[in-house]
């Protein structure tokens, strides 16, 4: 049977389901096609499960040092089955929430695999969607005026490091581990790799990170990387940078053994398991792109700033178009695409104003340019830095490592970037994000009186420090 829609969205992850809600608000008759579960990677295999595990690891690590707070505990141990149960419960609550939102918005959800067809009896343009239903019923045919492709991404591996789920894992399998390994090699020291390194180490796993670049979290400001490196090493996490893994040397036998070329020398690494976190690959296969004029570049769908593909009625958003592969980016791309479809004349997203977070211990967050990028872009910079060591609330928390760094243009005073490493900084970055959106200058941030005692005082002090006026520094 054929069903007509104003908009059909292929993929019900964060990008897809948020786009559907916005479309419903704007009065578009909307359907989502989802082959797995509504909520996609972020809810089931990404943001939420990883943060649930990180939180359990943090509680365990804190409980082990409870004595520092004057709290006497007897034996503290981890029940990993319970940890996983807690994670699943959180996912279930949120999954039900998304399902409810679809009902509330009168959004039709087709559970099945969607595929874009070429011109057909239904439409002279490509874009009809055929859905192979999960329940085995006859294919549904959806005839939309517009389509949004939001099929997301999946873990990438390296040739010869194929994921076997037993010895070599991607984040998908690692999230479902039933027991903790004694030791693990993490290939890739980017955001996902470092979150796992921090979490597993807090759970008592012996962790070795092998990173190709000369520093971990290489997309962050160099001082943030350096501080993270120092703090992880202090926790006995082995960090091997400037290292090229030699996948052909991998032996899977009662654990894993692999060699890497590290600054000219060959070194061997052994562990019970290996986690490969070397990036994500867009889901562009099997969705019928060959029936369209849609272009692909380096594996990602190409769009304009309003997320239209070469077929102007077919849009693409989220991880499948690459760039910043983050949930909040996917959802805002979805909102922009829908508003464009609805003729609302939205502004293009400014990616410089999007905050990025790492939920390790300590946390990292940033918005805008790193110091290196600012200099490369021709700015003469001035930098204000303020350590959490001088922040009362950080001492109260028992987490005083890290700092806030603010970069401004020396001539214009413009705010160029804000970078933080330390306690709860992922919850503090939105102040900096708002300052960037409102084009604030450092003294305006400093003039926003930060309540005492709070961790956010570090932002106010760093803003003062840009012109050498920090009070407690
Ligand atoms: C371990 C990990 C931790 C992460 N942590 C964070 C974090 O803390 N913060 C953050 O912002 N981001 C995080 N991310 C990234 C975030 O999960 C993604 O950026 C986000 O999920 C992208 O949303 P999306 O809608 O583009 O795609 P996805 O969430 O991948 O959703 C795509 C959906 O499309 C469906 N689909 C694919 N093909 C078809 C088809 N042919 N027919 C029907 N359905 C189809 C899939 O089943 C899936 O549900 C993390 C990712 C990982 C892996």
């Amino acid at each position: 049977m054929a069903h007509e829609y104003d908009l059909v969205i292929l993929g019900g992850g964060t990008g897809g389901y948020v786009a559907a809600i916005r479309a419903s608000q704007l009065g578009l008759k909307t359907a989502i096609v989802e082959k797995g579960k509504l909520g996609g990677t972020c809810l089931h295999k990404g943001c939420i499960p990883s943060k649930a595990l990180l939180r359990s690891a943090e509680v365990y690590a804190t409980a082990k040092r409870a004595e520092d707070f004057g709290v006497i505990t007897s034996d503290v141990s981890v029940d990993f089955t319970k940890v996983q149960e807690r994670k699943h419960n959180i996912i279930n609550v949120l999954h039900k929430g998304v399902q409810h939102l679809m009902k509330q918005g009168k959004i039709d959800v087709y559970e099945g695999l969607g595929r874009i067809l070429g011109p057909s009896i239904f439409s002279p343009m490509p874009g009809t969607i055929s859905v192979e239903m999960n329940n085995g019923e006859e294919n549904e045919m959806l005839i939309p005026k517009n389509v949004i492709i939001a099929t997301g991404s999946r873990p990438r591996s390296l040739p010869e490091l194929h994921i076997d789920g037993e010895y070599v894992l991607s984040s998908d399998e690692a999230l479902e581990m039933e027991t903790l390994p004694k030791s693990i090699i993490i290939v890739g020291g980017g955001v996902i790799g470092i979150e796992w390194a921090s979490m597993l180490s807090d759970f008592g796993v012996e962790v070795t990170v092998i990173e190709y670049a000369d520093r971990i979290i290489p997309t962050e400001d160099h001082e943030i990387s350096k501080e993270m490196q120092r703090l992880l090493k202090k926790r006995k996490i082995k960090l091997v940078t400037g290292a090229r893994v030699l996948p052909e040397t991998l032996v899977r036998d009662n654990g894993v053994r692999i060699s890497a070329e590290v600054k000219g020398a060959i070194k061997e690494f052994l562990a019970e398991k290996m986690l490969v976190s070397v990036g994500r690959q867009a889901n562009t296969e099997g969705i019928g792109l060959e029936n369209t004029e849609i272009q692909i570049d380096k594996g990602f769908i190409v769009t304009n700033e309003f997320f239209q593909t070469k077929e102007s009625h077919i849009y693409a958003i989220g991880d499948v178009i690459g760039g910043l592969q983050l949930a909040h980016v996917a959802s805002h791309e979805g909102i922009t695409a829908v508003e464009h479809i609805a003729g609302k004349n939205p502004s293009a997203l400014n990616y410089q104003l999007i905050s990025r977070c790492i939920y390790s211990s300590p946390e990292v967050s940033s918005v805008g340019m790193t110091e290196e990028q600012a200099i490369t872009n021709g700015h003469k910079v001035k930098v204000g830095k303020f350590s959490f060591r001088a922040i009362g609330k950080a001492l109260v928390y028992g987490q005083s490592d890290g700092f806030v760094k603010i970069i401004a243009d020396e001539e214009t005073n413009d705010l160029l970037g804000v970078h933080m490493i330390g306690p709860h900084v992922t919850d503090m970055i939105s102040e900096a994000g708002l300052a960037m959106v409102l084009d604030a200058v450092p003294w305006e941030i400093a003039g926003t009186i930060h309540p005492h005692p709070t961790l956010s005082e570090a932002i106010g002090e760093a803003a003062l420090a840009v012109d050498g006026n920090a009070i407690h520094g």
Side-chain angles (χ1 to χ4, degrees):
M1 200 178 145
H3 310 269
E4 292 189 5
Y5 287 99
D6 294 319
L7 173 64
V8 171
I9 300 169
L10 205 53
T14 317
Y17 89 73
V18 170
I21 294 170
R22 185 69 188 121
S24 140
Q25 288 172 346
L26 292 174
L28 302 181
K29 190 175 177 219
T30 305
I32 280 194
V33 183
E34 170 55 57
K35 70 179 165 83
K37 287 183 176 169
L38 282 175
T41 304
C42 179
L43 179 50
H44 301 281
K45 298 173 179 176
C47 329
I48 299 299
S50 61
K51 268 83 254 180
L53 297 186
L54 274 155
R55 174 73 179 136
S56 287
E58 186 192 19
V59 170
Y60 178 52
T62 309
K64 278 200 300 188
R65 53 183 282 251
E67 242 182 275
D68 296 354
F69 296 83
V71 177
I72 308 306
T73 53
S74 52
D75 272 359
V76 178
S77 60
V78 174
D79 178 346
F80 201 62
T81 309
K82 257 221 153 124
V83 169
Q84 287 286 26
E85 233 173 71
R86 177 175 185 273
K87 180 198 82 178
H88 285 299
N89 291 341
I90 294 167
I91 293 173
N92 285 341
V93 170
L94 294 172
H95 185 212
K96 284 204 184 98
V98 179
Q99 288 169 314
H100 168 75
L101 288 172
M102 296 299 101
K103 278 206 186 95
Q104 185 176 277
K106 299 195 170 40
I107 296 155
D108 291 340
V109 179
Y110 292 86
E111 292 177 3
L113 181 82
R115 198 161 172 276
I116 301 171
L117 304 182
S120 64
I121 47 162
F122 301 113
S123 164
M125 290 193 299
T128 297
I129 308 277
S130 144
V131 188
E132 199 182 312
M133 299 298 287
N134 287 349
N135 60 12
E137 282 177 8
E138 202 178 316
N139 281 14
E140 295 279 5
M141 210 54 87
L142 314 182
I143 308 162
K145 292 196 184 90
N146 295 279
V147 174
I148 295 180
I149 302 173
T151 48
S153 65
R154 60 185 185 278
R156 202 159 70 79
S157 191
L158 296 170
E160 297 176 66
L161 277 196
H162 74 266
I163 308 297
D164 58 34
E166 188 182 359
Y167 297 119
V168 181
L169 318 177
S170 72
S171 58
D172 285 1
E173 292 77 25
L175 283 168
E176 298 306 326
M177 285 189 299
E178 286 171 8
T179 53
L180 287 163
K182 284 207 165 49
S183 56
I184 195 159
I185 295 167
I186 300 180
V187 179
V191 176
I192 293 178
I194 290 307
E195 284 189 358
W196 276 98
S198 173
M199 175 222 297
L200 291 172
S201 165
D202 271 347
F203 274 134
V205 178
E206 203 181 286
V207 178
T208 305
V209 178
I210 305 182
E211 166 58 44
Y212 181 74
D214 60 0
R215 59 187 171 102
I216 55 165
I217 46 171
T219 51
E220 293 299 330
D221 187 273
H222 70 281
E223 284 191 278
I224 298 284
S225 280
K226 205 168 147 199
E227 179 72 348
M228 180 63 97
Q229 193 139 329
R230 184 181 78 78
L231 295 171
L232 294 184
K233 278 188 172 162
K234 219 167 94 180
R235 287 168 54 196
K236 310 264 179 294
I237 296 176
K238 286 191 205 108
L239 301 173
V240 190
T241 53
R244 191 167 63 89
V245 161
L246 304 169
E248 65 280 8
T249 64
L250 176 68
V251 178
R252 309 162 200 246
D253 181 18
N254 242 339
V256 288
R257 181 151 41 95
I258 196 161
S259 298
E261 192 187 319
V262 189
K263 293 164 190 134
I266 304 289
K267 293 200 173 153
E268 194 173 73
F269 301 91
L270 290 166
E272 200 177 310
K273 294 207 187 281
M274 174 187 283
L275 169 67
V276 182
S277 55
V278 293
R280 311 256 318 160
Q281 191 168 338
N283 292 327
T284 55
E285 305 86 355
I287 57 172
L289 295 186
E290 66 283 4
N291 300 322
T292 70
E293 297 290 314
I294 293 173
Q295 289 178 334
I296 292 202
D297 184 34
K298 299 189 185 86
F300 297 105
I301 294 180
V302 179
T303 71
N304 66 13
E305 74 264 47
F306 298 111
F307 310 108
Q308 288 172 291
T309 66
K310 199 80 188 300
E311 305 275 4
S312 59
H313 63 299
I314 304 183
Y315 291 65
I317 57 151
D319 280 12
V320 76
I321 66 169
L324 280 177
Q325 289 180 307
L326 294 170
H328 45 292
V329 174
S331 54
H332 281 270
E333 289 174 347
I335 290 169
T336 305
V338 167
E339 291 183 350
H340 194 257
I341 289 168
K344 291 280 169 204
N345 206 15
S347 312
L349 288 189
N350 180 347
Y351 288 86
Q352 272 299 320
L353 301 180
I354 295 175
S355 304
R356 309 167 295 264
C357 297
I358 307 178
Y359 298 82
S360 47
S361 172
E363 294 184 341
V364 168
S365 61
S366 57
V367 60
M369 288 183 248
T370 63
E371 189 175 348
E372 305 90 308
Q373 285 165 344
I375 292 167
T376 311
N377 284 330
H379 294 279
K380 221 168 155 207
V381 299
K382 51 181 179 177
V383 173
K385 252 175 81 178
F386 198 83
S387 167
F388 280 108
R389 232 164 266 139
I391 296 294
K393 188 70 173 280
L395 296 177
V396 168
Y397 268 141
Q399 294 174 17
S400 53
D401 284 317
F403 55 83
V404 174
K405 172 173 176 176
I406 296 184
I407 302 158
D409 186 291
E410 198 176 287
E411 280 144 25
T412 63
N413 238 354
D414 282 344
L415 198 56
L416 301 174
V418 179
H419 305 268
M420 311 187 198
I421 179 166
H424 297 280
V425 295
T426 60
D427 291 315
M428 297 205 295
I429 194 64
S430 298
E431 175 185 350
L434 181 63
M436 298 272 290
V437 168
L438 297 180
D439 222 356
V441 291
W443 67 260
E444 287 170 307
I445 298 179
T448 307
I449 298 169
H450 292 81
H452 177 75
T454 61
L455 295 169
S456 69
E457 286 175 278
I459 300 177
E461 288 277 20
L464 285 172
V466 169
D467 291 307
N469 298 325
I471 301 293
H472 296 90

